[in-house]
């Protein structure tokens, strides 16, 4: 459903989305990497378990909460990919970090 823009240049950063290696354009967000990788939902809601995907891609809706490099509740659209980054779907509620 999603693909990189043609002018984005060659994919230069490899990240792991749900444990699967994916090459994405340098400077892309973790949410964009997740969408390019293809899974339909990046998180499940805590109450009903409904699937959610990145929506606004600008830090407003919080529908992109994911576990990034082992840290839950990260807004994936606000995180720039880095080589080897691990992006995982977040299922339900997570504890707030102190
Ligand atoms: S997609 Fe809306 S806050 Fe990240």
């Amino acid at each position: 459903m999603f693909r990189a823009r043609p002018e984005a240049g060659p994919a230069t950063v490899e990240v792991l989305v749900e444990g699967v290696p994916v090459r994405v354009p340098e400077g892309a967000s973790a949410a964009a990497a997740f969408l390019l990788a293809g899974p339909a939902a990046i998180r499940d809601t805590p109450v009903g378990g409904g699937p959610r995907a990145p929506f606004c891609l600008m830090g407003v809706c919080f529908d992109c909460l994911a576990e990034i490099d082992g840290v839950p509740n990260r807004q994936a659209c606000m995180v720039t990919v880095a080589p080897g980054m691990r992006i995982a779907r977040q299922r339900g509620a997570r504890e707030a970090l102190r």
Side-chain angles (χ1 to χ4, degrees):
M1 181 171 170
F2 292 92
R3 56 182 161 33
R5 296 171 59 172
E7 70 275 15
T12 58
V13 177
E14 184 174 285
V15 298
L16 295 172
V17 176
E18 293 285 283
V20 177
V22 179
R23 292 200 69 82
V24 298
E26 193 171 52
S29 70
F34 203 91
L35 292 170
L36 285 170
I42 196 167
R43 73 176 184 103
D44 297 332
T45 59
V47 177
R52 294 290 183 269
F55 181 68
C56 72
L57 296 171
M58 60 182 189
V60 176
C61 72
F62 286 75
D63 272 340
C64 63
L65 292 180
E67 188 173 302
I68 298 176
D69 288 336
V71 179
N73 295 321
R74 302 283 314 271
Q75 280 181 281
C77 69
M78 304 305 287
V79 177
T80 301
V81 293
M85 177 180 277
R86 293 172 289 119
I87 307 164
R89 183 173 175 166
Q90 181 164 305
R91 299 181 191 281
R94 293 292 187 268
E95 294 291 323
L97 296 179
R98 296 178 192 193

